[in-house]
Amino acid sequence: MPILSRPALVEHLVRTRIAGDVATPRDNNLSHYRKLANGDRHYWLGLELGDRWADEQDVLAVMAERCGVVDDPAHRVGQDTIDPELTVDALDRMAARLRKAAAGKERVLFATGHPGSLIDVHSRVAAALRAQGCDIVRIPGGLIADEGYVVQFADVAVFERGATLWHTHSPEPMNAILDALGEDGRPDLVIADHGWAGRAGQRGIDSVGYADCNDPALFIGEAEGTMQVTIPLDDHVVDPRYYEPMTAYTLEASGLL
């Protein structure tokens, strides 16, 4: 696949609705911001936010700055946005962290709560880091969380229940992995999303996470320094192959291709 220039990648992100005018509606975004501010831990994505974000307008301000949603609190319904320039800025920050991981031959764990869309993104990055000598974490077998199993496909940890891979925001699968690995097996870096990424960061591990505009917690985590990088994007577009140019750009920028 040819590596897109930054302007061409921005155009691709907008055309495929990974960024720009995304599918997630404004009222859904605001509902999630409000629930986070009201202390609903489902929306904290494994982070411990205390009472620091009890005003939903503060949450909106962070999301406007770091994700590119409309900053007008009077905009309550209709279209909302992700700024594709912010997406590429975050990919560049991720690339810098990947260069560090490759240079240090670090131990890296990949996980996703969006197996239907992001598993290939994570898997490609894992393969590129392994080729540079990194140790890609192989999770222990038999891990249980949230009445299901934590398993691994193509180097990516996922949550399985009833012979199906589940979309999950829960931090408990990441807890299960880190508890089982112990201090000796602790990764240097986690690349994930949802509660997998947030809980890794909360437990003091360098964490890079992808996040949609209705998932404010990881953006707050980066603002507070708990997350290393949070990449704004629609985390489940209609065709997972739309993410391929984004992944190729990141790997090229990190020197891993």
Side-chain angles (χ1 to χ4, degrees):
M1 175 179 295
I3 308 301
L4 298 182
S5 66
R6 181 184 177 114
L9 179 60
V10 166
E11 187 280 330
H12 170 79
L13 295 174
V14 172
R15 179 172 51 81
T16 58
R17 301 185 74 186
I18 294 172
D21 291 340
V22 293
T24 310
R26 176 68 168 192
D27 57 326
N28 182 263
N29 285 346
L30 295 181
S31 172
H32 286 203
Y33 304 169
R34 185 178 312 112
K35 289 173 180 176
L36 179 147
N38 289 340
D40 187 334
R41 296 177 73 87
H42 175 78
Y43 297 93
W44 289 12
L45 300 182
L47 295 167
E48 296 297 334
L49 303 179
D51 59 1
R52 299 185 298 278
W53 298 91
D55 186 339
E56 65 182 276
Q57 298 308 317
D58 291 340
V59 179
L60 174 60
V62 168
M63 293 303 292
E65 176 188 10
R66 293 180 174 269
C67 184
V69 301
V70 177
D71 63 0
D72 181 3
H75 178 49
R76 310 298 299 177
V77 297
Q79 184 67 54
D80 213 340
T81 60
I82 293 175
D83 184 342
E85 298 288 349
L86 293 178
T87 303
V88 182
D89 286 346
L91 292 173
D92 287 338
R93 295 196 301 277
M94 178 182 181
R97 187 61 186 84
L98 292 176
R99 285 196 298 273
K100 178 182 176 183
K105 300 190 185 308
E106 291 183 346
R107 182 167 165 79
V108 187
L109 171 64
F110 290 83
T112 185
H114 257 296
S117 56
L118 295 179
I119 193 168
D120 192 51
V121 173
H122 290 302
S123 180
R124 287 170 184 253
V125 177
L129 284 175
R130 176 181 281 113
Q132 296 294 318
C134 288
D135 178 13
I136 306 305
V137 174
R138 182 177 175 88
I139 71 170
L143 298 182
I144 296 174
D146 295 332
E147 300 181 344
Y149 295 94
V150 187
V151 296
Q152 195 167 32
F153 294 98
D155 292 322
V156 185
V158 293
F159 179 67
E160 184 269 335
R161 189 162 70 189
T164 301
L165 302 185
W166 279 54
H167 169 213
T168 178
H169 288 210
S170 174
E172 293 308 319
M174 180 57 72
N175 274 335
I177 293 172
L178 296 179
D179 289 346
L181 291 173
E183 285 301 314
D184 290 342
R186 179 184 174 94
D188 302 301
L189 173 65
V190 168
I191 301 176
D193 46 71
H194 286 175
W196 306 79
R199 182 49 53 90
Q202 187 63 47
R203 291 183 61 159
I205 299 169
D206 282 6
S207 183
V208 172
Y210 299 100
D212 209 328
C213 55
N214 64 352
D215 290 328
L218 297 190
F219 296 98
I220 288 173
E222 186 179 10
E224 291 193 328
T226 311
M227 294 290 302
Q228 291 281 300
V229 183
T230 299
I231 302 104
L233 47 66
D234 186 319
D235 55 15
H236 199 132
V237 293
V238 295
D239 187 342
R241 289 173 293 187
Y242 289 163
Y243 297 110
E244 290 178 356
M246 178 192 80
T247 306
Y249 173 92
T250 307
L251 294 177
E252 172 69 15
S254 61
L256 298 183
L257 287 183

